[in-house]
Amino acid sequence: MIRIIAAIFLILHGLIHLIGFLVPWGLVKIDSFRYGTTILAGKIDLGETGIRLVGLLWIVGAIGFVIAGIGLWMVLPWWFTLLIAVTLYSLVLCILGYPDSQYGFFINLIILGVLLFGERFGLSFPSR
């Protein structure tokens, strides 16, 4: 049961990454996620084209989390490795998108902590 809940959480986390794509591309407006063309807390202005390219990076993260979640759900042998990789990737994206992505940064740290240290606290991972 915990495996299924964790898989759903990862899939939802991936879907939330779509905000990083949808807002820069002007497909949705979300009050708590302002449209801007800067990264690194406003220090670097990428312009409209540049921020759209960053938006494409966010969609890659979204796909990665969804696939990792499905892999965990189905207990496929590669889910653990993919999840570590996509979480590290997402951490970089969250740093670039700070402050809008600050909560995602901490969620990614929690995911990594559970993956790297969970077995020390009695968590077991299927097909790791």
Side-chain angles (χ1 to χ4, degrees):
M1 182 67 162
I2 289 181
R3 175 180 52 84
I4 294 171
I5 292 170
I8 290 169
F9 172 81
L10 294 174
I11 292 167
L12 292 173
H13 185 59
L15 294 176
I16 290 170
H17 274 70
L18 291 176
I19 293 170
F21 169 76
L22 296 171
V23 171
W25 282 75
L27 300 173
V28 298
K29 291 185 180 188
I30 301 172
D31 291 336
S32 57
F33 294 92
R34 59 177 171 58
Y35 172 82
T37 59
T38 61
I39 58 171
L40 298 172
K43 293 186 178 26
I44 299 174
D45 191 346
L46 299 177
E48 191 170 317
T49 302
I51 206 66
R52 283 186 172 196
L53 290 174
V54 172
L56 293 175
L57 297 176
W58 280 96
I59 205 166
V60 170
I63 293 167
F65 273 111
V66 169
I67 291 173
I70 292 168
L72 172 58
W73 189 310
M74 298 176 67
V75 194
L76 298 173
W78 44 260
W79 76 267
F80 191 89
T81 304
L82 175 60
L83 184 54
I84 287 177
V86 75
T87 304
L88 291 170
Y89 177 86
S90 178
L91 275 172
V92 173
L93 289 176
C94 288
I95 291 167
L96 293 176
Y98 181 84
D100 291 332
S101 55
Q102 62 187 330
Y103 297 116
F105 179 83
F106 291 110
I107 290 170
N108 287 325
L109 287 180
I110 292 168
I111 292 170
L112 280 178
V114 168
L115 291 174
L116 298 176
F117 304 108
E119 288 184 343
R120 292 184 184 179
F121 299 100
L123 295 175
S124 62
F125 300 108
S127 287
R128 179 173 168 214

